[in-house]
Structures are given as structure tokens and as C-alpha cells.
Amino acid sequence: MKQIQNKNFRRQFSPDRQYLIAVSGGRDSVALLHWLIDCGYKKLIVCHLNHQLRSRASSADARFVEELAGKYHIGLAIESANVRAIAVKKKLSIETAGREARYKFFASVAKRTKCSSIFLAHHADDVVETFLINLFRGSGTTGLAAMREVSNRRLDGVDLTIVRPFLGMWRNEIDHFVRAHRLKFREDASNRNLAPLRNRIRHRVIPYLEKALGRNIRQAIWRAGVIASEEEAWIETQLPNSIDAELSPAKMRGLPIALQRRQILNWLRTQNISNVGFDVVENVRALLDHKSQVAKVNLPQDRHVRRRAKKIFIE
Amino acid sequence: MKQIQNKNFRRQFSPDRQYLIAVSGGRDSVALLHWLIDCGYKKLIVCHLNHQLRSRASSADARFVEELAGKYHIGLAIESANVRAIAVKKKLSIETAGREARYKFFASVAKRTKCSSIFLAHHADDVVETFLINLFRGSGTTGLAAMREVSNRRLDGVDLTIVRPFLGMWRNEIDHFVRAHRLKFREDASNRNLAPLRNRIRHRVIPYLEKALGRNIRQAIWRAGVIASEEEAWIETQLPNSIDAELSPAKMRGLPIALQRRQILNWLRTQNISNVGFDVVENVRALLDHKSQVAKVNLPQDRHVRRRAKKIFIE
């Protein structure tokens, strides 16, 4: 909360300007909304995407958010998406499909309202859980980089500025705030999109680790994530600027291994291949070796990376 | 094991040359010794430091290693150090004091024998355990970088080349090798210097995590450590070369945050301050801000970082 009262923050994100805020109806986003209002952010537009994952309960969440926006006399954008159908169609997990649908929705609201900054309620415990999930899944260092307090993302022709004022706050601090202000929220909404792995990490693994090790490991993990994200941000500035549709193995071989990995990851992202693990990056890196016998790497959704005629490309 | 049979490895570390090898008498180092002999490394000098932590058992370890060297007809260097007394005197943990004493001993043998490359038996499970220990302790990214297969360390005027051929091998692969060759080893020796935290990570935390998450997390963590170490190696090449006894806040402020951290850590190391956590680095970094009220940061062993007259120094 201190962050929002912080002078630098208020200078960068003046309360007089208009902002979007993502509100699921769960505790964290309800707390963020209340806090921003309290701090004088009046021109907010509440964005709520009904994921249609729990039929009646999902509709009740949407109604709750609608009433909340009415109570605060602020703008509202509500939409529905059949996240389960998207997940099946795009062969994605429910969690990933939900996230993609939300960002698409945010971008469309941003375009319509000409308001490109959006507040999200991610907090410090989210950082810790995401770090562990990515560590255990094997995402490599890039996966260990924490979300940033302020980041930019280009989506459907819109440059979204994503702002997470709670990123340094712990869940129990938010709890305390919610109780102190007797805020009402939808109990299920915050856990609606919780993947089984995140659920287990939050409710079983982290409590176990803190007990077994007799120390507050969350602070330490949070820091590791923040450091990794600052190193990532800096490494990104050191990468060759333009990314072509094809990779040149000859040029890539001239980079240090650490940069080859980042560059491959960035290249895959610009080709709309995201959510790939360390394995895929290493397999693509192996293609750089002209002596390598392998000339094909499998990607999700039946796509492939191929090497042919001294070029690496996707088909 | 494949590593030692690997052509590149044998080209870089020819079996015809002389090497030191650290042998505690425990399973891992006994396996490494046997394997090297098997692969034609004949001019080895076994280095064993008696840590005197378990009196009679420690002496029995030393005798066991002596006999082993005799059996293989190779050189031997044995010495004793009162690790407990060193720990008390230098206010270090037993684990850290033991490691420092061992490296000092290795450097002295290297100087005497004019042989500066030493084989150590660290394996992939060691990498995973160390990663988690540093993560939970809060060492930041630098602490997450895995040990390297080949690294250099200057100590007491000797440039040691540290070689870890087992770094990509898992404990159960070594177990298998030891059983297949019916190698005898000292059961306790390998766990002698096991700190309580490492012990808990090895025997409780990792098995729990693999069960709770239903996946082999060790491979993923090993990769994260290896990636972090390659990024660290590269970042190190980007740092200003010379490190003075004093830090200039003005110059430091010009670096990106990620490099400020690395530079502070390197600076502390050249001033013989090691084993500091992320806290200390961040506190020193706060001194760079000329508006900061604080001008002193406490270090271990009653030393301090101070800022005075636009200089940061240790006293």
C-alpha cells in the first residue's frame, strides 16, 4: 500500500489521469480498487471478463463487480468469453487460455476507451508462487524473472502499460486491509482460475517449506525473482535489436550462450510461440551447430522449427 | 561418467598430465578416483584434509584414503586442520570453515607439487541442493548460479583450476557405478561436513517436493542453476574490469541495477568479504544514493562499509 502513497509512483501515475483496473471480484482486486479510490484515483474503468467456468457463480461474480463499480461511481467494461472452449480449440491449459482471453479483452477496452494503462492486483505471494511453479516446471532463468511493477506489452495493435502496485505487498497485508475496511468480495472469484499446480504450491508446498526449514523463505524467493527480472530487463537491452522471421545460425553462433538462449526465446515469441520450456530452447540452440544431424524441433500446436539452407525458420 | 570419456574433456584435460584430486573417502570422491584411474589418468595426487571433527572416525577416514592411494600407486597429500577451532576463531559456520580450510590446503599442495588443476567430485544432486539452499537463504541470483564444470580461483598466490567431471551426473548413477565396481568407501565421510540445512534439503525437502508435485523437479532445478551460471559468467565479462579498494558512488550510479549488484558483490569479495546475503548488497547499494541518510552498513566479523567524502570503503 505504501507504494501507492509513494511520491514517485504518484508522479508516474497521476491520480488525475484515467486508468483501467482489472477486477475479478476476488479479495485482491477488490482491495486494490478500494485503495486506489481512497488515494484519489477517480477516473477508473473497471474491467471484468466473465470466464464462464462456473456458470451461475461466474454470473454472480460479474453482477458483484457491476454493483461495485456503481457504488464507486466509476466506469465499467464487462464481457464474456468461453475460456474452456478457447482452451480446447487452442490446445492450451485453462489457466493460459484465461490469461490470453483477459489480455485480449483488456486490449479491446484500451482501444475503445483510449486508455492504455491498466492496474492489476498481483502481489508478492503471487511472485513467489510463480517463481516456484516456473522453477519446478523447468522454465530456466527467463521463467524465474518476476513480473514487473511496470511493464509494457503490445497486443492487437495496442501498447498496454501494465501496472502492479501491490507487487511488494504480502497477502496477509492485503487481508489486514480488507478486514480493516470491512470490504466485501467474492470468495471464489480469486481462486477461480487457480491451476492445480499453483493451488498445491500455495496451500501445501510453501507452508511445508516454511515449517521444514524454520524460516520465512517467501521473502528470499521474492528477492530472487525481482533480481532475476532486473537482470533479464538488462540482458534484453544487450540483445541484437531486430528479430527477423528467420534465424541465422552463423550470426547466432557469435553470441555468448546466455544471449543465444534469450534471443531464441524472443524469436519464438515474435513468431507467436510462447510458453515453451527450456527443452525447446536447448533443442533449437542445438540446431545452430552445423555439425548437428537433427534439423527439426517439435513445437506445441503441431508447429516445427526447421533448419534448411543455413536458415532456421518455423513452419 | 560420459563426460570423462568425452573427447573434448580429454583434449582439455589430457590423461597424460598430472592432477590433484580431492578425496574425502566418501562415496562420490572414491567413485571419481576409480573412474579417472580407469580412464587412464595415472599421475594423480590424492589430497585429503582431516577436518578433526569426529576424532577417531576422522583418523580412520584418513587411513582409508592413504590405503586407497597406495592401492592405486598414486601420490598422496594428507594434512590436518582443526576446523572447529577455525570456525570459532573466524566466526564462521563449520561448513564454511571446512571449505576454506580445504581450499587453503589444495592451494598449498598445488604450490608444492607445481600442479594447479584439481578434480572435485561434486555431482548434479549437489547442484540442486546448493541451488535450493541459496534460494531459501536469499542469496539472490548470483547465489543461484551453479558451480561450473571448469572454474578458476586465485588463492594464496596460486591459480587453481577446479574441475568437476561429475557435475552432470546424478547421485544414483554414481551409486550404480560404485555397486557395479564393488568400490569400498567410508560411509560417514561423505556426510561429515553436511550442514543441518543441506541435510534437511537432501533427505526431506527434495523427496517431499517430488512427491507433492508428482514430477522430477531435480532436472528442472539443475537446468535453472546451469543457465544462471552461464548468465553470470557472461554478465561478469560486462562489468568494469578493475575493482579499486574504494567504490565511487557517482560511477556506480551510471550502471544498470543488475550490474551494480554484481559489482558490489565482486568488490566485497576482493575485500575478503564473502558469504554476504542479498540484504548486505542492497544496503550497500542504498549508499550509492547521495540523498540516503544512512552512511554505514554492518558486515560479518565486525567490519563495516562506510560512505564518506563521496567514497564507499570498508573499515
Side-chain angles (χ1 to χ4, degrees):
Chain A
M1 316 275 165
K2 307 147 218 160
Q3 191 53 260
I4 306 178
Q5 293 172 310
N6 183 297
K7 264 190 198 166
N8 281 335
F9 184 88
R10 294 169 67 94
R11 203 175 300 137
Q12 204 180 348
F13 302 102
S14 160
D16 300 330
R17 289 208 303 273
Q18 189 175 53
Y19 301 93
L20 309 180
I21 172 171
V23 179
S24 68
R27 198 202 41 188
D28 304 337
S29 57
V30 166
L32 178 61
L33 175 58
H34 189 82
W35 186 266
L36 285 165
I37 297 276
D38 244 24
C39 288
Y41 288 79
K42 304 280 186 211
K43 301 189 200 162
L44 298 172
I45 299 171
V46 167
C47 300
H48 177 86
L49 183 70
N50 181 342
H51 289 55
Q52 303 181 343
L53 290 169
R54 298 169 311 126
S55 64
R56 285 223 306 232
S58 293
S59 310
D61 290 347
R63 272 196 308 278
F64 173 82
V65 172
E66 207 177 323
E67 282 165 25
L68 204 60
K71 202 185 101 190
Y72 289 126
H73 306 292
I74 52 178
L76 173 70
I78 289 197
E79 224 169 79
S80 284
N82 188 338
V83 169
R84 195 165 282 123
I86 297 171
V88 171
K89 194 180 150 202
K90 292 196 169 180
K91 294 185 191 169
L92 298 170
S93 68
I94 295 280
E95 195 184 20
T96 305
R99 189 172 50 241
E100 286 195 1
R102 278 196 303 282
Y103 278 97
K104 238 180 141 56
F105 165 59
F106 298 155
S108 78
V109 180
K111 200 179 259 176
R112 205 167 64 222
T113 60
K114 294 194 176 29
C115 171
S116 63
S117 295
I118 181 161
F119 288 117
L120 301 185
H122 291 118
H123 51 67
D125 286 279
D126 290 324
V127 169
V128 172
E129 291 163 11
T130 304
F131 184 101
L132 290 179
I133 288 169
N134 289 338
L135 174 63
F136 297 149
R137 263 191 191 153
S139 315
T141 320
T142 331
L144 301 185
M147 301 173 262
R148 298 178 71 79
E149 206 171 352
V150 181
S151 58
N152 296 294
R153 186 165 163 175
R154 190 167 174 80
L155 209 89
D156 294 337
V158 182
D159 286 304
L160 272 184
T161 298
I162 297 158
V163 189
R164 299 178 171 99
F166 276 181
L167 216 54
M169 301 258 314
W170 295 96
R171 187 177 287 124
N172 60 10
E173 297 177 276
I174 297 174
D175 268 344
H176 183 82
F177 176 79
V178 164
R179 277 197 305 272
H181 291 79
R182 298 203 180 125
L183 301 181
K184 283 192 189 119
F185 57 91
R186 295 278 299 170
E187 197 67 63
D188 288 342
S190 46
N191 295 312
R192 186 173 50 193
N193 302 312
L194 221 55
L197 182 57
R198 183 176 292 272
N199 219 336
R200 239 173 304 160
I201 299 263
R202 179 180 300 177
H203 295 296
R204 287 176 53 197
V205 171
I206 294 175
Y208 166 85
L209 288 173
E210 300 216 308
K211 206 174 151 211
L213 301 168
R215 61 178 77 203
N216 176 352
I217 56 158
R218 290 181 303 149
Q219 186 72 40
I221 296 171
W222 182 84
R223 277 173 181 160
V226 169
I227 294 179
S229 106
E230 268 146 13
E231 300 208 328
E232 171 170 274
W234 176 71
I235 290 178
E236 292 286 329
T237 66
Q238 304 297 307
L239 288 174
N241 263 327
S242 66
I243 299 182
D244 300 327
E246 294 174 342
L247 279 185
S248 152
K251 274 189 207 162
M252 289 288 289
R253 281 198 298 269
L255 296 175
I257 295 176
L259 293 196
Q260 288 176 358
R261 290 208 176 103
R262 302 275 179 171
Q263 189 72 348
I264 289 170
L265 216 48
N266 285 349
W267 174 68
L268 289 171
R269 278 189 198 140
T270 60
Q271 308 297 306
N272 286 316
I273 314 280
S274 52
N275 257 309
V276 295
F278 178 82
D279 278 337
V280 169
V281 174
E282 283 306 276
N283 290 341
V284 174
R285 217 164 62 75
L287 297 182
L288 301 180
D289 182 356
H290 47 73
K291 283 174 289 181
S292 152
Q293 301 290 314
V294 187
K296 183 180 132 183
V297 174
N298 295 332
L299 297 173
Q301 299 179 261
D302 294 327
R303 297 175 72 187
H304 312 275
V305 176
R306 287 189 185 275
R307 188 191 57 201
R308 199 185 296 145
K310 295 189 179 173
K311 289 279 174 198
I312 293 177
F313 54 92
I314 291 174
E315 58 172 28
Chain B
M1 316 273 165
K2 307 147 217 161
Q3 192 53 261
I4 306 177
Q5 294 172 309
N6 182 298
K7 264 190 196 165
N8 281 334
F9 185 89
R10 294 170 68 94
R11 201 175 303 137
Q12 202 180 349
F13 303 101
S14 160
D16 300 331
R17 289 209 303 273
Q18 191 176 54
Y19 301 94
L20 309 181
I21 173 173
V23 179
S24 67
R27 197 202 42 186
D28 304 338
S29 57
V30 165
L32 178 60
L33 175 59
H34 188 81
W35 187 265
L36 285 166
I37 296 277
D38 245 22
C39 288
Y41 288 79
K42 305 279 185 212
K43 300 188 200 161
L44 298 172
I45 299 171
V46 166
C47 300
H48 178 86
L49 183 69
N50 181 342
H51 289 54
Q52 302 182 345
L53 289 170
R54 298 170 311 126
S55 64
R56 286 223 306 231
S58 294
S59 310
D61 290 346
R63 272 197 308 279
F64 172 82
V65 171
E66 205 176 326
E67 283 166 24
L68 203 60
K71 202 184 100 188
Y72 289 125
H73 306 291
I74 51 179
L76 174 70
I78 289 197
E79 222 169 81
S80 283
N82 189 337
V83 169
R84 197 166 278 123
I86 297 171
V88 171
K89 195 179 150 203
K90 292 197 170 181
K91 295 186 189 167
L92 297 171
S93 69
I94 294 280
E95 195 184 19
T96 305
R99 189 172 51 240
E100 285 195 2
R102 279 196 302 282
Y103 276 98
K104 240 181 138 55
F105 165 60
F106 299 154
S108 78
V109 180
K111 200 180 258 176
R112 204 167 63 223
T113 60
K114 294 190 176 36
C115 171
S116 62
S117 295
I118 181 161
F119 287 117
L120 301 186
H122 291 119
H123 51 68
D125 286 279
D126 289 325
V127 169
V128 173
E129 292 163 10
T130 304
F131 184 100
L132 290 178
I133 288 169
N134 289 337
L135 175 63
F136 297 149
R137 262 191 191 152
S139 315
T141 320
T142 331
L144 300 186
M147 303 173 258
R148 298 179 71 79
E149 206 171 349
V150 180
S151 58
N152 296 294
R153 188 167 164 172
R154 190 167 173 83
L155 209 91
D156 295 337
V158 181
D159 286 305
L160 271 184
T161 298
I162 297 158
V163 189
R164 299 177 170 99
F166 275 0
L167 216 53
M169 299 258 315
W170 295 96
R171 186 178 288 124
N172 60 10
E173 297 178 276
I174 297 175
D175 268 344
H176 184 83
F177 176 80
V178 164
R179 278 198 304 274
H181 290 79
R182 299 204 178 125
L183 301 181
K184 281 191 191 122
F185 58 91
R186 294 278 298 169
E187 196 70 60
D188 287 343
S190 46
N191 296 311
R192 186 174 50 193
N193 302 310
L194 219 55
L197 182 57
R198 183 175 292 272
N199 220 335
R200 238 173 305 156
I201 300 263
R202 179 180 301 177
H203 296 294
R204 287 177 51 198
V205 171
I206 294 175
Y208 166 85
L209 288 174
E210 299 216 309
K211 207 175 150 209
L213 302 169
R215 61 179 78 202
N216 177 352
I217 57 159
R218 291 181 302 149
Q219 186 72 39
I221 296 172
W222 182 84
R223 276 172 182 161
V226 169
I227 294 179
S229 105
E230 267 146 15
E231 299 209 328
E232 172 169 275
W234 176 70
I235 291 178
E236 291 286 330
T237 66
Q238 304 298 306
L239 287 174
N241 263 328
S242 66
I243 300 182
D244 300 326
E246 294 173 342
L247 279 186
S248 151
K251 273 188 210 161
M252 288 288 288
R253 281 197 297 268
L255 297 174
I257 295 177
L259 293 195
Q260 289 176 358
R261 291 209 175 101
R262 301 277 178 170
Q263 188 71 349
I264 289 170
L265 216 49
N266 285 349
W267 173 67
L268 289 170
R269 279 190 196 138
T270 59
Q271 308 298 307
N272 286 316
I273 313 280
S274 52
N275 257 312
V276 295
F278 178 82
D279 279 338
V280 169
V281 174
E282 282 308 274
N283 290 341
V284 174
R285 215 163 65 74
L287 296 182
L288 301 180
D289 182 356
H290 46 73
K291 284 174 290 182
S292 151
Q293 301 290 315
V294 187
K296 184 179 131 182
V297 174
N298 295 332
L299 297 173
Q301 299 179 261
D302 293 326
R303 297 175 73 185
H304 312 275
V305 176
R306 286 188 187 277
R307 187 191 59 201
R308 199 184 295 144
K310 296 190 178 172
K311 289 279 176 200
I312 293 178
F313 54 91
I314 291 174
E315 58 172 28

